[in-house]
Amino acid sequence: MVEKDLFDIAKNDKVGRYAVASENLKAGDVIFAEAPFAYGPKTDSPCLCLGCHTPVDCTYLCPTCFWPLCGPDCGNMKIHKDNECKIFSEAKIKFQPVEDPTDVCVQYECITPLRVLLEKDRNPKRWEEEVAPMEAHTEERKSKPVWEFNQHNVVEYLRGPSKLDKFSEELIHQVCGILEINAFEARTPSCYTIRCLYPKLAIMSHSCVSNIHHAVDCQANGDFNDCVVTVRAAVEVPKGGELFSSYTYSLWPTLVRRQFLRESKYFECTCPRCSDKTELDTHMSSLKCQRCDNGIIMSSNPLDDSCEWKCHLCDYKTNGRAVRKVFAAIQNEIDQVEYVGGPEGIQQRETIFKKYRSVLHPKNAYMTILRSALTQLYGKAEGYTLEDLPDIILERKIELCHQLMEVLDVIEPGLSRIRGITLYELHGPIMIHSRHNYQYGALDKDDFKAKMQQAVDTLGKAVEILKNEPVSQPEGQLGLMAQTAFDQLKENFDMLIETA
């Protein structure tokens, strides 16, 4: 943990509590680090080991409570042994067998709320000071299907079979709301996503362009202090400047981001990015006009989902409902290939990219999402390693990285994870393509040296970002690789030029 938190809590009637920098912050400064109040399975979770939170086939059950685990070691982890294991074994509640462990298993819905309730009893001071003040949006949630879902699968399960009627229905619903509104996702070392409740991080205001970056170090040792989050300034923030996190996926277009925030966080986002019809000149929501040349279709009022969308050159008009249908169709196609890797994954994404490039603005969110995936597939897939790629594909990867960076520089500024990954992906094709051009005589030695230096500098920027990622995460491992490669390139730079 850091010695001192570098933020103060302010409050106003409009947004409630929010955080401001307590001193001038430079990019990379650690603002605070925090252990979760509780953590555990997300809602709609498949069957998981309740020790390390890795998906399981349910063939091994805890010998004490008879709920799924990986094996005996996970049964001894405190996060399980001192929480639901004790409660379920005393109440004689056993896990009910399921046909397909990979399907959503509603039996897990109670686990994380239960862990919060038990931690409340263990740590009442932290509960009262940090967790209880969190917004639960109880009244809004009462009219939503999630209320009845929680009533049956969490409230009645805990107060009935689990024999925990000491916790009132009102309190359990409050805990469910606090988790739904405030929990952040984290990844276990097996890259499975869980949810963690971070009271300090939850104070940070939302903006669709954040100025902080958080990284969670989930080591899956089952300790209550596992999954520590470290929060850094992504860019310079002046003393007194408000600190912004993002509660949504930054690569989504405004219509989708605002709908997500409205339905899951119960507020209407009016941040500068959402309020701007060009999304801060990125045009991530814009479409190409099919009626005129070079026309761009944009929302006439991004804060009104039902407003007209108009071409800026001709009189063509449509509406937000129609645009939403287009976006949903494209997202569905992208979702279909999400887990397709290798050459097939590249080909399928390029097919979608080509299909919609006459429909979407070049920087539209879905073109950006596809670019992000392609930059990481080119160079890694079988038959598509960097040394295998012909110059035309190397040029394609370089182009994709540059186009992606143009957008990320605006919506993910500073020391953001995705910028670090993209910079890393960019340095390799620059080096190899430059070497080829030098060997073919398309570059003289001075130009070749300049290009190689550009690649080294690009890798250095990637190292600067990725060094802050925990080594328990894939980005942290990539950071170690980037640092090694950077050190070797600097040490052998002159030799690489001479022997090219």
Side-chain angles (χ1 to χ4, degrees):
M1 297 293 179
V2 293
E3 292 183 8
K4 184 180 79 166
D5 294 342
L6 301 184
F7 75 95
D8 295 320
I9 299 175
K11 191 173 184 180
N12 64 33
D13 294 336
K14 185 177 179 181
V15 299
R17 300 185 303 162
Y18 62 98
V20 297
S22 58
E23 58 185 62
N24 292 327
L25 299 175
K26 301 187 299 296
D29 282 351
V30 176
I31 302 171
F32 65 91
E34 176 184 25
F37 184 80
Y39 67 93
K42 297 190 303 178
T43 191
D44 294 334
S45 176
C47 296
L48 298 179
C49 170
L50 291 177
C52 69
H53 302 92
T54 297
V56 291
D57 60 11
C58 300
T59 55
Y60 181 86
L61 301 178
C62 174
T64 304
C65 69
F66 301 100
W67 277 63
L69 296 171
C70 288
D73 289 345
C74 289
N76 291 322
M77 290 184 176
K78 289 184 178 181
I79 192 65
H80 170 61
K81 186 170 69 173
D82 294 357
N83 282 312
E84 64 279 348
C85 184
K86 183 178 179 182
I87 298 299
F88 292 161
S89 60
E90 290 178 355
K92 295 182 170 55
I93 298 176
K94 294 183 180 180
F95 180 80
Q96 299 302 306
V98 296
E99 284 188 16
D100 186 352
T102 65
D103 280 347
V104 171
C105 182
V106 295
Q107 295 179 72
Y108 283 83
E109 295 295 332
C110 70
I111 298 297
T112 309
L114 171 59
R115 291 177 179 181
V116 173
L117 291 164
L118 295 176
E119 186 63 20
K120 170 186 176 293
D121 282 356
R122 282 190 292 258
N123 198 342
K125 185 173 185 291
R126 191 179 181 197
W127 164 267
E128 289 297 334
E129 293 178 356
E130 299 184 9
V131 182
M134 288 181 172
E135 183 58 73
H137 287 284
T138 299
E139 291 306 312
E140 295 97 322
R141 290 172 56 255
K142 282 181 179 178
S143 62
K144 304 288 185 181
V146 69
W147 186 270
E148 287 302 319
F149 180 83
N150 287 335
Q151 176 68 26
H152 178 67
N153 293 293
V154 183
V155 176
E156 293 175 5
Y157 190 80
L158 293 181
R159 286 174 51 81
S162 301
K163 301 179 182 179
L164 292 175
D165 54 0
K166 66 176 182 176
F167 298 124
S168 69
E169 288 196 13
E170 180 184 22
L171 173 62
I172 299 173
H173 273 299
Q174 179 190 8
V175 167
C176 289
I178 286 173
L179 284 167
E180 289 162 18
I181 307 304
N182 299 280
F184 284 79
E185 290 189 350
R187 287 171 301 169
T188 66
S190 61
C191 285
Y192 190 77
T193 307
I194 59 173
R195 57 178 169 169
C196 303
L197 191 59
Y198 298 109
K200 291 179 184 177
L201 183 56
I203 295 171
M204 308 291 125
S205 303
H206 165 79
S207 175
C208 292
V209 179
S210 61
N211 59 7
I212 65 172
H213 169 70
H214 73 271
V216 180
D217 187 5
C218 271
Q219 299 181 23
N221 57 25
D223 193 347
F224 289 117
N225 288 325
D226 199 6
C227 299
V228 169
V229 65
T230 301
V231 178
R232 290 179 168 85
V235 295
E236 289 185 1
V237 182
K239 181 178 180 179
E242 192 167 356
L243 298 172
F244 294 105
S245 179
S246 177
Y247 304 166
T248 185
Y249 183 44
S250 66
L251 297 192
W252 280 339
T254 296
L255 270 176
V256 179
R257 293 195 316 277
R258 295 189 77 244
Q259 181 182 12
F260 172 81
L261 293 168
R262 183 185 307 120
E263 293 178 353
S264 65
K265 306 299 181 183
Y266 301 94
F267 71 90
E268 296 282 346
C269 186
T270 59
C271 75
R273 180 181 169 192
C274 284
S275 302
D276 182 5
K277 65 178 68 175
T278 69
E279 292 209 39
L280 308 178
D281 291 327
T282 64
H283 285 283
M284 291 187 73
S285 292
S286 301
L287 297 89
K288 287 183 177 179
C289 183
Q290 303 300 299
R291 186 173 294 177
C292 70
D293 293 334
N294 302 318
I296 300 173
I297 301 171
M298 294 178 286
S299 169
S300 59
N301 178 7
L303 301 183
D304 178 3
D305 288 3
S306 60
C307 73
E308 281 188 333
W309 285 58
K310 305 176 182 178
C311 174
H312 83 300
L313 292 181
C314 73
D315 61 356
Y316 178 80
K317 296 177 182 178
T318 185
N319 58 65
R321 202 163 43 251
V323 174
R324 187 188 300 280
K325 286 182 179 178
V326 172
F327 286 172
I330 300 171
Q331 182 66 65
N332 182 59
E333 290 191 44
I334 293 174
D335 289 345
Q336 295 298 314
V337 303
E338 181 178 0
Y339 298 108
V340 181
E344 187 180 355
I346 291 174
Q347 292 159 11
Q348 291 186 13
R349 287 174 177 85
E350 287 285 18
T351 298
I352 300 172
F353 192 94
K354 290 171 185 174
K355 179 179 178 180
Y356 290 107
R357 66 184 176 189
S358 62
V359 177
L360 303 176
H361 187 281
K363 293 183 182 178
N364 181 278
Y366 297 105
M367 304 300 272
T368 301
I369 289 168
L370 289 166
R371 284 190 187 95
S372 179
L374 286 167
T375 58
Q376 296 179 54
L377 284 170
Y378 278 126
K380 295 187 178 70
E382 184 181 351
Y384 287 87
T385 63
L386 282 180
E387 294 294 343
D388 291 332
L389 296 182
D391 283 348
I392 191 170
I393 302 299
L394 288 170
E395 290 168 3
R396 173 72 172 144
K397 175 158 179 164
I398 292 169
E399 177 188 50
L400 289 167
C401 288
H402 281 308
Q403 290 171 339
L404 179 56
M405 286 298 299
E406 286 179 16
V407 174
L408 297 179
D409 284 344
V410 177
I411 66 165
E412 290 265 6
L415 306 183
S416 70
R417 185 179 294 113
I418 189 171
R419 290 186 78 251
I421 294 170
T422 306
L423 287 164
Y424 178 83
E425 295 295 340
L426 177 58
H427 92 278
I430 290 177
M431 287 180 58
I432 295 172
H433 188 251
S434 300
R435 188 178 71 217
H436 289 175
N437 280 342
Y438 179 54
Q439 291 169 343
Y440 301 153
L443 288 177
D444 64 25
K445 190 172 185 177
D446 288 341
D447 289 338
F448 171 54
K449 187 174 182 179
K451 280 287 186 181
M452 291 292 284
Q453 187 60 55
Q454 177 191 347
V456 174
D457 293 343
T458 300
L459 181 58
K461 291 176 184 176
V463 169
E464 188 65 22
I465 296 173
L466 296 174
K467 70 181 183 182
N468 295 326
E469 297 297 321
V471 295
S472 63
Q473 301 297 311
E475 297 86 0
Q477 292 295 315
L478 184 63
L480 294 177
M481 290 170 52
Q483 182 69 67
T484 300
F486 181 65
D487 292 341
Q488 290 175 347
L489 283 174
K490 284 179 63 180
E491 182 180 352
N492 301 312
F493 186 80
D494 291 337
M495 183 183 70
L496 289 172
I497 303 299
E498 294 302 324
T499 58

